[in-house]
């Protein structure tokens, strides 16, 4: 599986800078690793709470995104979700990021992971046929690829290297512990195509902002820029897309990995615009993942940062885009009216 993870582009650093960052981080990791996971989950939650109250910019961005996505929530409820999402973020990286490799092993994974509604995926594995896996910045997106490597499935991760080469090598070593292969971002498309031809699965974190040239599809009642590559790969190789969610249970280090949607090639072949249908549908699946656990979404993420050119130029929505949105089978008249209201089209 290729789990497309997001890293900042590596930049050259001096040895002094690299070591000054690396040594304290390793020391912190050792300290965290010596303490029970339940304690670390609580302490990192407190750090997240502190971050929420002290970082005004991040807090306001999260609140703005949540309020726009869940207009029915009260101001108190919006702020509660924002605070919990930051607590979740610190639990994810401070506690789970350090201790996951020692807790999730071939003999202990069942203590922390439950699989739900994954029959279609299991059947696909049994046939030794490749599948495109997608998830979003919700729950524990790192756990998906890692857990499959622990279960013995061949996995490769597409990643940009971290700025600090010492930290980068350390992180790669943790991820590769059970056979997870890391491939650099550079030349990734050609490598992915080769992997697919070898009947290997491909995976993406699919809610990245794709810029002004991305495909704009509905996401929580607003248009969000999305990369076309996932849909194009699915169409070229006629692969199904499995939208999978790793959701934390009861605030502990315990997860339910479930299949949110499974998109078969036969379902998009008959659509008037297959690429738009695929891209919109898996975004709909990610939206449902967020609805299932809004406090576990990365609301700091600038999902709606890029805007369509017609919007920035204060022009009407193009007729082609209107037809694309109207063609989506799940799009109700009310949803379409709400989506287009801000463009004075309803």
């Amino acid at each position: 599986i290729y789990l497309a993870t997001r890293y900042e582009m590596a930049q050259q650093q001096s040895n002094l800078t690299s070591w000054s960052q690396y040594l304290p981080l390793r020391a912190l990791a050792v300290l965290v690793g010596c303490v029970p996971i339940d304690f670390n989950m609580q302490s990192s939650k407190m750090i997240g709470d502190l971050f929420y109250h002290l970082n005004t910019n991040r807090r306001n961005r999260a609140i703005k995104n949540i309020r726009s996505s869940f207009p029915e929530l009260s101001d108190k409820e919006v702020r509660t979700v924002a605070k919990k999402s930051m607590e979740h973020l610190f639990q994810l990286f401070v506690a789970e990021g350090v201790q996951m490799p020692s807790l999730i092993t071939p003999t202990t994974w069942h203590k922390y992971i439950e699989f739900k509604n994954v029959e279609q995926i299991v059947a696909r594995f049994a046939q030794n046929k490749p599948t495109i896996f997608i998830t979003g910045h919700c729950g524990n997106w790192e756990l998906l690829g890692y857990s499959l490597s622990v279960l013995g499935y061949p996995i490769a991760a597409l990643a940009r290297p971290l700025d600090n080469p010492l930290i980068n090598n350390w992180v790669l070593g943790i991820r590769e512990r059970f056979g997870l292969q890391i491939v650099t971002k550079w030349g990734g498309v050609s490598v992915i195509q080769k992997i697919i031809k070898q009947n290997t699965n491909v995976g993406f974190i699919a809610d990245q902002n794709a810029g002004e040239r991305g495909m704009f599809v509905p996401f929580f009642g607003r248009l969000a820029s999305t990369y076309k590559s996932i849909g194009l790969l699915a169409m070229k190789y006629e692969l199904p897309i499995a939208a999978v969610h790793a959701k934390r249970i009861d605030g502990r280090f315990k997860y339910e990995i479930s299949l949110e949607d499974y998109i078969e090639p036969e379902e998009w072949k008959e659509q008037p615009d297959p690429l738009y249908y695929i891209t919109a549908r898996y975004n709909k699946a990610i939206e449902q993942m967020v609805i299932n656990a809004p406090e576990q979404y990365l609301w700091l993420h600038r999902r709606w940062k890029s805007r369509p050119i017609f919007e920035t130029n204060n022009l009407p929505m193009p007729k082609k885009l209107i037809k694309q949105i109207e063609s989506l089978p799940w799009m109700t008249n009310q949803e379409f009216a709400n989506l287009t209201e801000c463009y004075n089209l309803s």
Side-chain angles (χ1 to χ4, degrees), residues 138-182:
C138 42
N140 190 332
W141 55 90
E142 294 284 347
L143 181 63
L144 297 174
Y146 188 81
S147 62
L148 290 174
S149 69
V150 168
L151 292 173
Y153 295 101
I155 303 173
L158 180 64
R160 291 177 181 173
L162 295 169
D163 290 350
N164 188 315
L166 297 174
I167 298 177
N168 182 69
N169 292 337
W170 172 48
V171 171
L172 293 186
I174 294 175
R175 292 187 173 192
E176 293 174 340
R177 182 177 180 182
F178 291 105
L180 177 63
Q181 178 186 353
I182 304 297

Side-chain angles (χ1 to χ4, degrees), residues 78-111:
V78 167
R79 292 179 179 274
T80 297
V81 172
K83 184 172 76 72
K84 288 185 177 181
S85 71
M86 293 188 189
E87 294 171 351
H88 168 77
L89 179 64
F90 278 84
Q91 289 178 318
L92 188 65
F93 289 109
V94 176
E96 298 178 355
V98 173
Q99 294 187 273
M100 185 172 67
S102 61
L103 296 176
I104 307 285
T105 70
T107 58
T108 62
W109 65 267
H110 60 279
K111 297 179 181 179

Side-chain angles (χ1 to χ4, degrees), residues 152-312:
Y153 295 101
I155 303 173
L158 180 64
R160 291 177 181 173
L162 295 169
D163 290 350
N164 188 315
L166 297 174
I167 298 177
N168 182 69
N169 292 337
W170 172 48
V171 171
L172 293 186
I174 294 175
R175 292 187 173 192
E176 293 174 340
R177 182 177 180 182
F178 291 105
L180 177 63
Q181 178 186 353
I182 304 297
V183 179
T184 60
K185 182 78 172 179
W186 327 123
V189 174
S190 61
V191 176
I192 288 175
Q193 293 177 341
K194 182 178 179 181
I195 289 289
I196 291 176
K197 292 178 181 178
Q198 295 173 346
N199 290 328
T200 301
N201 301 290
V202 182
F204 298 88
I205 297 176
D207 61 343
Q208 301 280 15
N209 175 60
E212 293 181 358
R213 297 186 178 182
M215 177 168 283
F216 285 87
V217 299
F219 188 68
F220 278 102
R222 289 168 287 166
L223 294 176
S225 177
T226 308
Y227 287 103
K228 304 173 185 178
S229 55
I230 297 175
L232 292 173
L233 281 173
M235 293 170 62
K236 181 175 181 179
Y237 296 101
E238 296 191 2
L239 298 178
I241 298 176
V244 186
H245 184 200
K247 182 176 66 174
R248 182 185 288 136
I249 302 173
D250 298 330
R252 299 159 46 231
F253 183 59
K254 189 175 181 63
Y255 279 87
E256 175 188 272
I257 296 181
S258 61
L259 179 66
E260 186 61 45
D261 195 8
Y262 193 77
I263 313 171
E264 296 273 16
E266 293 75 15
E267 296 179 82
W268 72 66
K269 286 182 179 180
E270 302 301 323
Q271 297 298 321
D273 191 330
L275 180 58
Y276 195 85
Y277 173 88
I278 294 170
T279 308
R281 180 165 165 180
Y282 73 67
N283 270 272
K284 183 70 173 177
I286 295 175
E287 180 179 314
Q288 187 59 52
M289 296 179 198
V290 179
I291 292 174
N292 292 340
E295 75 284 356
Q296 295 182 31
Y297 189 60
L298 186 64
W299 291 108
L300 298 178
H301 182 208
R302 294 184 175 182
R303 182 67 185 94
W304 297 273
K305 178 182 179 180
S306 297
R307 306 313 308 149
I309 294 178
F310 76 87
E311 179 181 327
T312 57

Side-chain angles (χ1 to χ4, degrees), residues 51-61:
F51 181 83
Y52 169 81
H53 286 94
L54 295 181
N55 198 312
T56 304
N57 291 337
R58 300 295 193 280
R59 180 179 68 245
N60 289 342
R61 183 193 303 169

